[in-house]
Amino acid sequence: MFSFSSSTKKTNTKPYRILSLDGGGVRAILEATIIKKLAQKYPGLLDEVDMFTGTSAGGIVASALVSGYDPDYVCNLWMNAAPKIFAEGWSRKFRTIDNCIGASYVADPLKEMLLGTLGDKKLGDLKKKFLVPSFALDVSSMEVTNGQSRRWGPEFLHNFDNQSKDLSLVDAVLRTTAAPTYFPIYQGYVDGGVFANNPALGAVTTAVNFGIPRENIVVLSLSTGNNPKSIGKQIYGDGNWGMVEWGPHLIELLLDGSTEAINYSCSCLLHQNYHRVDPLLPQDIGLDDATQLKALIEVAEKVDLTSTEKWLTEVWKTDVNAKPSNNNVPVINVDSNIPANWRCNIQ
């Protein structure tokens, strides 16, 4: 399920730059807009990226960027495509009994958009490194060794080696976007957000596995917006909840939980070499609410990127040997509204 390299670490002082994009459905327009803003301020920023990684909708954005499309094109693409991808007709709601016995959406509009944008590219054709997480529902559909029993498990689809070189980019993206209850299972895979909605940690560990020194890695991590969601005691009462009560909350709970856990891990692992942009949303915006696209763009346009621009200048663009030691720099580099005790502040 995972491939490991015996490569020795490379010795150089050039930063290894990773752009990491969270999943979040329609909210991916927020991270695409922020990338557009940063690219306008720093021409050539995307040319400096060594590895693009994204989960679910973030994987769509990452696949377009690694294919050479500029952020303006990606924003327009998502604005036009999202309402079609997340279009739910009454006939489908009736056939699936209001989505209780079937996915909310068909994958055809998404696949059509991807084919029109990415064509027949394979992972092995890409000039830069690319990684998306996905979850295999049956390991027997892949190569099984050492008498391994049938089970499910996570997988990182990437082009660091030849294992997935012949996998089409479209198929890789469809595997990472097959969100349970939202879209049908694709080729035996579901959305990588079930275990890594923030793909940064998988990207870092994969790069290290294939010989990139950890101290050389710098990561710019973008979220699709921090939803102001919580469940207070006035809602959960005595806490004796079953599937009916948990059902409406489980998917976002799992996505948000894995996202913040990975954010914490990356902060601890990379210190000032990890920077996250995670703006607070003004209201709870659903993953499939395409009516909020313009509102999400407005949020992105208002995000204060002062600390991000400072980080890009002092860390992203700086030779490894010219940076302060990780051991002497507190981690205070996250443009986020999450509580401080969720972050790693090791000095």
Side-chain angles (χ1 to χ4, degrees), residues 15-305:
Y16 188 86
R17 304 177 177 102
I18 298 175
L19 178 62
S20 176
L21 306 175
D22 286 13
V26 297
R27 303 201 308 254
I29 191 68
L30 186 147
E31 58 192 4
T33 303
I34 289 175
I35 293 170
K36 177 181 173 181
K37 288 175 62 178
L38 292 173
Q40 289 172 342
K41 176 96 175 182
Y42 298 95
L45 176 67
L46 295 176
D47 294 332
E48 297 170 345
V49 175
D50 297 292
M51 180 182 182
F52 292 87
T53 183
T55 298
S56 196
I60 297 174
V61 176
S63 69
L65 294 174
V66 77
S67 298
Y69 291 101
D70 63 60
D72 191 55
Y73 176 90
V74 176
C75 288
N76 290 332
L77 177 71
W78 197 233
M79 276 293 293
N80 293 326
K84 300 173 185 176
I85 293 169
F86 294 101
E88 182 184 42
W90 282 106
S91 62
R92 181 166 181 80
K93 287 174 70 71
F94 176 77
R95 290 197 308 273
T96 61
I97 312 180
D98 200 15
N99 311 129
C100 290
I101 57 171
S104 298
Y105 308 102
V106 295
D108 295 354
L110 173 58
K111 187 170 185 177
E112 181 180 347
M113 183 268 283
L114 291 172
L115 285 171
T117 305
L118 307 176
D120 58 0
K121 285 190 185 72
K122 294 180 169 54
L123 295 193
D125 298 330
L126 300 175
K127 296 179 180 179
K128 295 194 174 187
K129 298 305 180 188
F130 177 77
L131 178 145
V132 291
S134 188
F135 194 89
L137 295 177
D138 186 355
V139 76
S140 68
S141 65
M142 299 176 288
E143 182 180 353
V144 180
T145 58
N146 300 324
Q148 186 177 16
S149 60
R150 296 179 69 164
R151 62 186 181 85
W152 58 17
E155 183 176 357
F156 292 109
L157 308 172
H158 59 76
N159 59 348
F160 273 87
D161 58 14
N162 293 329
Q163 184 171 324
S164 299
K165 70 172 184 176
D166 293 325
L167 178 66
S168 80
L169 187 54
V170 169
D171 284 341
V173 174
L174 287 171
R175 289 181 184 183
T176 195
T177 54
T181 76
Y182 288 92
F183 293 102
I185 296 163
Y186 187 76
Q187 296 179 341
Y189 289 82
V190 294
D191 197 314
V194 299
F195 72 97
N197 197 51
N198 175 349
L201 187 60
V204 169
T205 52
T206 300
V208 171
N209 180 47
F210 285 93
I212 306 299
R214 180 181 60 84
E215 59 271 17
N216 286 34
I217 296 174
V218 293
V219 178
L220 176 59
S221 173
L222 274 64
S223 83
T224 57
N226 194 327
N227 242 345
K229 191 158 189 172
S230 63
I231 302 175
K233 184 170 177 56
Q234 71 277 15
I235 296 175
Y236 66 73
D238 63 3
N240 187 26
W241 277 21
M243 286 300 298
V244 171
E245 293 86 0
W246 275 117
H249 306 285
L250 274 179
I251 290 181
E252 287 195 68
L253 184 148
L254 293 172
L255 292 180
D256 290 350
S258 74
T259 295
E260 298 306 344
I262 289 171
N263 181 39
Y264 175 83
S265 297
C266 285
S267 293
C268 293
L269 188 65
L270 300 179
H271 298 258
Q272 86 273 16
N273 282 5
Y274 174 79
H275 181 87
R276 183 157 171 82
V277 182
D278 185 23
L280 183 68
L281 297 177
Q283 64 192 57
D284 185 0
I285 297 178
L287 304 176
D288 57 348
D289 190 354
T291 66
Q292 297 295 319
L293 286 166
K294 290 184 178 179
L296 287 161
I297 291 175
E298 290 178 4
V299 171
E301 293 289 357
K302 294 177 181 177
V303 173
D304 183 359
L305 295 173

Side-chain angles (χ1 to χ4, degrees), residues 308-327:
T308 301
E309 293 168 1
K310 186 174 186 291
W311 180 84
L312 286 172
T313 300
E314 297 182 357
V315 179
W316 178 274
K317 293 178 175 290
T318 304
D319 184 271
V320 172
N321 288 343
K323 297 175 188 175
S325 168
N326 281 348
N327 295 328

